[in-house]
Amino acid sequence: HPLAFLFNSNWAFVSLVPLLLQTQGDNFRTRFNRGWLAGALFNLLTLYWVAHTQGGGPAVVGGTLLLAAYLGLFVGLFAAVLGFLVTHWGRCALVATPFLWTGTEYLLSLGELGFPWLLLGHSQSVSPTLIQYAALTGVYGVSFWVVSVNLLVAAALASERRRIAALALAAALALPYAYGRRVMDAAPGYDSTVRVAVVQPNMGRQEKWGAGGLERSFATLETLSREAAAQDPDLVVWPETALPCYLALRPECSQRLRALVEEIDAPVLTGASDYDTERGEPYNAAFYLVPGQTEVQTYAKMHLVPFGERTPYRDDIPLLRDIDWTQLTGDLGPAEFARGTRRTIFDHPDAPFAVLICFESIFPDLVRRHVAAGAQILVNITNDSWFGRSAGPYQHALINAMRAVENRTAVARAATSGVTLFIDPYGRQRQATELFVPATAVSDVAVARETTFYTRYGDLFAQGCLALSLAALIPLYRQVS
């Protein structure tokens, strides 16, 4: 693609340089506006595929612009506060840059509007050797490093001590590589594995949800699963909402799936809708059926896509419950799914596993809590077909590599139309499928046998960066007030 060069991960190492060269002078508002413009433009160029969402209209394009503007606010805050520190403390205050950026990214991950998709650290998921220390710091440590490299590039361009800055830059680039190489060279083999088959049915929106969609979905999934069954998998994984029905309420659906499970003699995990009849609420869920067992284990998605699956803060702001989003967005109005409240660790005889439904894979803390609760394999099921042949599906797949490294836990990913793939505990990808083709992939997935510092203690690094950033402002606040 002629614009592919714009999406190279190496741009991250210089992405903040223009902003860092303009941190001193001007007032708080000017610096904020400069940062906000830079952040909004970055997010618009990188998240353009949201506007490409199939089934949307002009309102979705407008929503993409609003999304970019909202995410740009965090960069604006970073630029304004950094400029404030430099103005009062001089250029030495630039040492606060990576702490301030990392703290801002952590804030971006919180709440119902949390959207930690484009964390700078995620840009390096394509280079497993460079991100191995994420097992200690999480993705936020990688962001810290990327921003530090930006700072050293800016210093090499603007400082009188360019030679020293250049040497520091070389060291900053070499050390993570050396550490990663050492970790990966010493990586032990895995005695225990689970043979997993992932299925990519490539069912489009109209094919699945139009007339006869359930039958077409079943037929495609059954054919591909029988092909995969020839390789004796221990687990077969279908993608998010693979079956367009309320599986628990449709006996003919559950019985047909049960018959397939018994036929291929392998457990099947599938995405489908669920419904709480007592509360009158739908769920985006995963169902796990095992041969010879009548019990069906389920998991309901805990972190829903804001405005896509649920209106944020509708439980706290009554006015939001009365908005008819379909009048603005056509078929893409929020489904108003209920949030799942129970963390499910699925009971597989070879290794317990947890499911990340689509958007959930971008949240480091949510994923590490699954692993801390006992999951030894992570399964990501998703439907990225909404975004067509764009950067979106590739970005989403790459983010899973960071989750694997953070928790030293392998990921098996099944996507409706791609990218379907496997990721080992060190972030290395294999058997990635092409977009928009029916496909299956079977692989032996390593069972995790260690828990990382990040899994045990979570976002201590990011929280520490935020705390230090706030602490740096206290004496200046007193001085100004």
Side-chain angles (χ1 to χ4, degrees), residues 197-212:
V198 286
V199 176
Q200 179 175 302
N202 190 37
M203 296 294 295
R205 177 168 164 267
Q206 292 299 327
E207 288 181 284
K208 181 188 294 186
W209 299 103

Side-chain angles (χ1 to χ4, degrees), residues 237-464:
V237 179
W238 294 357
E240 178 187 22
T241 59
L243 295 175
C245 67
Y246 287 108
L247 190 60
L249 301 181
R250 296 279 299 274
E252 68 276 20
C253 291
S254 57
Q255 290 169 8
R256 184 167 177 176
L257 178 56
R258 170 70 63 189
L260 177 68
V261 168
E262 300 296 340
E263 175 191 338
I264 65 175
D265 194 28
V268 171
L269 175 84
T270 182
S273 297
D274 200 0
Y275 197 84
D276 188 327
T277 53
E278 292 184 4
R279 300 173 60 184
E281 295 179 322
Y283 294 92
N284 186 351
F287 294 79
Y288 178 57
L289 286 77
V290 179
Q293 296 184 15
T294 57
E295 179 186 1
V296 178
Q297 298 178 54
T298 63
Y299 168 73
K301 189 174 183 179
M302 300 174 73
H303 201 119
L304 301 169
V305 179
F307 298 107
E309 294 178 316
R310 186 176 180 84
T311 303
Y313 303 108
R314 72 187 305 268
D315 294 330
D316 304 312
I317 306 175
L319 176 64
L320 295 176
R321 303 173 201 166
D322 301 326
I323 298 176
D324 184 3
W325 293 101
T326 59
Q327 297 296 318
L328 299 172
T329 61
D331 294 340
L332 292 180
E336 302 301 357
F337 286 110
R339 283 189 297 271
T341 58
R342 180 172 55 88
R343 194 177 308 279
T344 301
I345 306 300
F346 290 93
D347 184 19
H348 190 280
D350 296 321
F353 67 92
V355 176
L356 314 172
I357 300 180
C358 188
F359 185 63
E360 291 185 316
S361 65
I362 75 170
F363 292 93
D365 186 64
L366 184 150
V367 177
R368 74 104 188 162
R369 288 178 184 272
H370 283 323
V371 178
Q376 294 180 298
I377 291 174
L378 294 169
V379 176
N380 178 214
I381 59 174
T382 188
N383 177 13
D384 293 339
S385 64
W386 299 92
F387 310 120
R389 296 183 182 276
S390 68
Y394 295 101
Q395 292 172 4
H396 198 188
L398 274 173
I399 289 172
N400 282 268
M402 188 65 71
R403 301 291 88 83
V405 174
E406 288 170 339
N407 300 284
R408 284 283 180 261
T409 304
V411 178
R413 186 175 199 262
T416 298
S417 59
V419 178
T420 294
L421 79 168
F422 296 97
I423 303 172
D424 78 0
Y426 293 86
R428 293 170 291 203
Q429 304 171 53
R430 62 181 184 273
Q431 297 192 48
T433 63
E434 298 294 332
L435 292 182
F436 295 103
V437 293
T440 60
V442 181
S443 180
D444 292 325
V445 176
V447 175
R449 61 182 187 184
E450 62 177 301
T451 56
T452 66
F453 183 90
Y454 179 76
T455 301
R456 294 192 298 272
Y457 301 107
D459 294 319
L460 282 180
F461 181 84
Q463 292 162 354

Side-chain angles (χ1 to χ4, degrees), residues 99-150:
F99 296 92
L100 184 58
W101 180 274
T102 304
T104 305
E105 281 196 343
Y106 177 67
L107 291 176
L108 178 59
S109 73
L110 304 177
E112 293 185 34
L113 285 174
F115 193 76
W117 187 288
L118 293 180
L119 305 183
L120 278 184
H122 281 151
S123 69
Q124 302 309 302
S125 296
V126 71
S127 304
T129 306
L130 297 178
I131 63 172
Q132 293 307 310
Y133 59 94
L136 302 171
T137 65
V139 63
Y140 301 106
V142 184
S143 292
F144 185 97
W145 168 61
V146 171
V147 176
S148 298
V149 171
N150 275 266

Side-chain angles (χ1 to χ4, degrees), residues 85 96 99-100 144 461-474:
L85 292 174
F99 296 92
L100 184 58
F144 185 97
F461 181 84
Q463 292 162 354
C465 287
L466 179 60
L468 288 172
S469 299
L470 295 174
L473 292 172
I474 293 175

